[in-house]
């Protein structure tokens, strides 16, 4: 079975940092792109960052560019989202997701990702 498990969320002050982890199992991790999404109440889940399977490419939404960094360790089947200079507007549930084939320089839709983690709450206050 495919599993993605996020960790690392919590409470941060504005200007602070958090690092999210996404540990994967049940599939060939290096063959999958990992997307990071966030969702706030009443809004659609939106992709904010993505890293390619072999970590050669990354994409960021303008709202997080220069503040968030996606990375991965394929030997540990784990992806990371380093979040710095956090703002209250970054408060959301953050999800990691995995898919094999789609790469664009624009956000992907949630339905383009077949595999999801359970989400982790990030609160900036």
């Amino acid at each position: 079975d495919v599993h993605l498990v996020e960790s690392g969320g919590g409470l941060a002050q504005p200007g602070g940092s958090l690092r999210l982890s996404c540990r994967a199992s049940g599939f060939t991790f290096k063959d999958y792109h990992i997307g990071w999404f966030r969702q706030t109440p009443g809004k659609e889940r939106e992709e904010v960052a993505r890293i390619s399977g072999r970590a050669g490419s990354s994409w960021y939404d303008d709202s997080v560019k220069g503040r968030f960094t996606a990375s991965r360790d394929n030997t540990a089947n784990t992806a990371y989202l380093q979040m710095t200079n956090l703002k209250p507007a970054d408060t959301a549930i953050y999800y990691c997701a995995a898919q094999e084939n789609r790469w664009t320089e624009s956000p992907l839709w949630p339905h383009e990702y077949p595999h999801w983690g359970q989400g982790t709450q990030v609160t900036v206050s």
Side-chain angles (χ1 to χ4, degrees):
D1 290 353
V2 173
H3 288 287
L4 296 170
V5 180
E6 296 103 339
S7 60
L11 177 65
Q13 293 183 340
S17 300
L18 286 172
R19 189 178 79 156
L20 306 183
S21 299
C22 173
R23 182 165 178 82
S25 61
F27 62 99
T28 305
F29 184 65
K30 63 180 174 64
D31 290 341
Y32 283 69
H33 307 318
I34 299 297
W36 289 92
F37 287 74
R38 66 187 181 189
Q39 188 171 26
T40 54
K43 291 192 174 181
E44 295 281 341
R45 199 172 292 189
E46 60 177 4
E47 189 181 37
V48 296
R50 186 185 329 119
I51 186 162
S52 63
R54 298 178 189 270
S57 300
S58 57
W59 168 86
Y60 301 95
D61 186 76
D62 285 345
S63 63
V64 306
K65 196 174 294 182
R67 301 187 299 120
F68 290 13
T69 303
S71 63
R72 63 193 295 159
D73 180 350
N74 286 344
T75 65
N77 285 359
T78 303
Y80 305 96
L81 185 67
Q82 178 69 49
M83 305 185 294
T84 63
N85 192 19
L86 283 163
K87 304 175 181 181
D90 296 317
T91 296
I93 299 174
Y94 283 73
Y95 299 88
C96 64
Q99 52 90 8
E100 286 185 274
N101 300 315
R102 292 277 285 138
W103 189 269
T104 69
E105 295 302 316
S106 59
L108 293 175
W109 295 103
H111 71 259
E112 299 184 86
Y113 282 83
H115 308 300
W116 288 85
Q118 83 287 358
T120 186
Q121 176 71 46
V122 170
T123 302
V124 184
S125 177

